[in-house]
Amino acid sequence: MQISHSPGARRLSAALTGGALLAGTLAAVPAVAAPATASPSAVAAPALTTTAAEACGADDGLPDSKISIQLFTHVGELGFGTPSPETIDRVLGEVANAGFTNIEPFSQPYSMPVDDYQAILDRHGLEVSSSHGSTDWDTWPETVDYAVALGQDYIGTGGMAGSYGTYEEALATAEYVNRLGQYAHENGANKIALHNHQSEFTTRYPHPETGELVSAWQVIEENTDPRYVTFQLDVGWAADAGIDVPAWIEEYGDRIELLHIKDAVNVNAEGDPRQVALGNGDIDLPAIIAASEPYVEYYTYEWDYAPSFESSAESYRYLRCYLSEGGGEQCQDDDEESLALGRPVTTSSIDDPARTGEMAVDGNAGTRWGSQWSEPEWIAVDLGAGYDLSRVVIDWETAFASGYEIQTSPDGDTWTTVHTVTDGDGFFDDIDLSGTGRHVRLYATERATQWGFSSTSWRSTARRPASSPRRSPWLAAPGTGRRSTARSATRTTRQTSCCASSAPHARRATCSTR
């Protein structure tokens, strides 16, 4: 959840650093002759209205009673502290419309009277599965009373409720958490739930008896009372710390009653991971769910600063339907040629020497180009030959361009606009276009945030001219050792997705059952 609870943790998205992350896909055929004019075309998949995901069979996935959502997913809508009644009513309405029947608030207890809060929950048919909030001893009775009034079994925190820089500090934290959990248990709640980031696993020290290196998570687990204390394993942070999550659950499952379910690309790799909707990333969610089913009461979806309610609807459907015939289809990007991988790039500016234009075409989702915080700004790719272009897919993060143009050029000097967007809303833009050129430029004219524009990868897919050597779209970029796709192709045979069908601008993809 909130990274401030764990100073060493890295965010699963670069959106908070001020960039509008995008991934572009260009589809084309070799150019025969340049057209006299270039005609823009419409966005291929218009935004969908957020609606509850269609029902699946009882055995197609997790039951609604076990699915929840951490409201930090929509912190951009809610803000911090207590939201206004109008805001929380609107957000909870969208969450319920996405399919969820349980929620996990953060910053609880609210200053809102609990009866008023309960009335909003009742209006949308929602229950509180657990919560994150302060674990200060002086206000703990108030926190427990608020949670009990809402019918919660679990009262959580965004971290471990204490420090663990040394073995002794971890022991002291475990002792303090036992006190918190016992008070909660004796006053109407079930247990306190502790939530991890990466550092709980990467902070290690010798065990005083065995000398074996143990993690802070293990020390706190070993020294807390299972009657009062349980763990909410955040699978995204754990995987990024190098943990084999299914194996970890097999070993410690009797202490793990809650999961935070994330998905991401570039996990446990150079650079920061980047969150995506469930089923679209590198994390082996089916294996995690299978290992956890004997132990876990709630599977709580979270995407820090998610781009839309549609992404939450897609993730709800994944949890509810991932074993169904449709849910069992795995999305794969169109099997076309990658033109931009490793190609020369020019940009209008950079905001940091560590974020150059070349990083937008290196095939590494953990690196990116970042522009100055101004407009217009642009990034252009030399494809090495002329092509008849037909498609662009842009994958935006929280910060994005609300206005931009796709331009082509035969020489990198004279540009023709082949598509214009004036009301961009972020997330996915899947654009059909018609234009010819050797050079392709994203010309960003209007920022949607105070930050600049940024690209993690610009992936170009097409058949190369017959006279040119053929390049596989999955070859690693020189010097990176990474695949050209921003999404890893190494998933388990049970990994599933709904082919982004509920995303606001659905990707074009081919689906195959693995």
Side-chain angles (χ1 to χ4, degrees):
M1 233 196 81
Q2 300 99 310
I3 307 309
S4 58
H5 290 165
S6 180
R10 300 172 311 189
R11 291 199 179 276
L12 280 182
S13 169
L16 302 185
T17 65
L21 303 173
L22 67 89
T25 300
L26 302 178
V29 296
V32 178
T37 60
S39 59
S41 62
V43 174
L48 302 177
T49 302
T50 305
T51 57
E54 63 184 67
C56 295
D59 298 327
D60 289 339
L62 295 170
D64 280 327
S65 62
K66 286 182 170 286
I67 298 173
S68 188
I69 180 173
Q70 166 53 242
L71 293 184
F72 198 76
T73 299
H74 297 296
V75 64
E77 298 278 348
L78 289 167
F80 291 89
T82 300
S84 69
E86 295 78 16
T87 296
I88 197 165
D89 183 64
R90 176 178 59 82
V91 171
L92 293 188
E94 293 280 8
V95 165
N97 199 35
F100 294 93
T101 58
N102 296 296
I103 64 167
E104 182 181 79
F106 63 100
S107 298
Q108 195 174 291
Y110 291 150
S111 60
M112 178 188 300
V114 69
D115 290 343
D116 293 350
Y117 187 29
Q118 185 66 64
I120 297 175
L121 292 167
D122 291 343
R123 181 156 56 249
H124 298 294
L126 296 169
E127 296 183 0
V128 180
S129 57
S130 52
S131 59
H132 284 197
S134 172
T135 54
D136 183 84
W137 182 256
D138 291 338
T139 58
W140 189 240
E142 176 188 351
T143 299
V144 171
D145 288 346
Y146 202 92
V148 170
L150 293 172
Q152 294 176 221
D153 286 330
Y154 300 98
I155 307 173
T157 171
M160 292 285 118
S163 58
Y164 45 82
T166 65
Y167 187 89
E168 291 72 24
E169 287 177 346
L171 288 178
T173 292
E175 180 182 1
Y176 179 62
V177 168
N178 280 330
R179 290 175 59 206
L180 294 171
Q182 183 174 359
Y183 180 93
H185 186 79
E186 294 175 350
N187 287 273
N190 183 16
K191 300 178 181 181
I192 185 174
L194 304 182
H195 171 273
N196 63 275
H197 295 97
Q198 298 101 322
S199 58
E200 288 85 353
F201 300 106
T202 58
T203 301
R204 299 176 183 176
Y205 2 74
H207 193 283
E209 297 180 4
T210 66
E212 178 186 4
L213 280 179
V214 290
S215 68
W217 194 98
Q218 291 171 302
V219 173
I220 295 172
E221 182 274 334
E222 181 182 8
N223 291 278
T224 48
D225 191 329
R227 295 174 299 171
Y228 309 134
V229 181
T230 191
F231 290 82
Q232 182 177 59
L233 184 68
D234 188 304
V235 305
W237 296 125
D240 193 53
I243 296 297
D244 181 337
V245 177
W248 196 267
I249 294 172
E250 292 283 356
E251 183 171 356
Y252 296 101
D254 59 349
R255 294 301 309 277
I256 299 169
E257 297 179 30
L258 308 171
L259 291 185
H260 261 192
I261 299 290
K262 286 186 173 78
D263 207 351
V265 297
N266 203 55
V267 177
N268 191 28
E270 181 183 356
D272 289 341
R274 178 180 171 219
Q275 291 186 54
V276 295
L278 299 186
N280 290 295
D282 300 340
I283 297 177
D284 191 351
L285 297 180
I288 290 170
I289 294 172
S292 66
E293 282 185 306
Y295 313 107
V296 170
E297 294 295 325
Y298 291 107
Y299 297 80
T300 302
Y301 159 68
E302 183 183 38
W303 177 347
D304 297 347
Y305 288 83
S308 69
F309 293 109
E310 283 85 357
S311 61
S312 291
E314 180 182 358
S315 294
Y316 161 78
R317 175 175 167 80
Y318 179 86
L319 292 173
R320 185 64 193 86
C321 310
Y322 73 99
L323 294 177
S324 68
E325 181 177 354
E329 292 178 337
Q330 181 172 348
C331 273
Q332 297 177 327
D333 294 324
D334 296 325
D335 189 15
E336 297 175 290
E337 201 65 29
S338 178
L339 295 178
L341 178 62
R343 298 300 307 170
V345 175
T346 55
T347 64
S348 55
S349 68
I350 60 172
D351 67 338
D352 189 287
R355 291 188 284 271
T356 64
E358 289 74 14
M359 293 180 179
V361 294
D362 64 0
N364 183 352
T367 63
R368 63 188 178 94
W369 162 68
S371 76
Q372 293 292 323
W373 297 8
S374 60
E375 65 258 303
E377 298 287 348
W378 52 264
I379 179 170
V381 181
D382 181 354
L383 302 180
Y387 290 89
D388 292 328
L389 303 170
S390 60
R391 182 179 174 217
V392 168
V393 178
I394 303 174
D395 180 3
W396 300 99
E397 284 287 353
T398 303
F400 59 92
S402 56
Y404 63 93
E405 299 174 0
I406 303 298
Q407 301 176 333
T408 63
S409 172
D411 54 14
D413 294 323
T414 303
W415 295 93
T416 299
T417 297
V418 295
H419 190 82
T420 301
V421 172
T422 59
D423 57 352
D425 58 1
F427 208 51
F428 290 107
D429 289 346
D430 192 338
I431 301 169
D432 288 333
L433 53 81
S434 176
T436 299
R438 169 174 171 165
H439 303 261
V440 182
R441 182 165 74 171
L442 172 66
Y443 190 79
T445 56
E446 185 173 354
R447 291 175 291 159
T449 73
Q450 70 268 37
W451 302 302
F453 308 98
S454 181
S455 169
T456 57
S457 63
W458 187 315
R459 195 171 65 254
S460 308
T461 60
R463 292 182 291 108
R464 297 182 62 81
S467 59
S468 300
R470 183 171 179 81
R471 175 186 297 197
S472 167
W474 309 119
L475 289 177
T480 67
R482 303 189 186 279
R483 296 183 184 274
S484 65
T485 177
R487 185 176 303 153
S488 171
T490 56
R491 306 181 193 168
T492 71
T493 57
R494 293 190 63 204
Q495 182 69 38
T496 59
S497 75
C498 296
C499 298
S501 60
S502 59
H505 300 299
R507 281 187 186 273
R508 289 186 177 182
T510 57
C511 294
S512 62
T513 302
R514 293 294 184 87

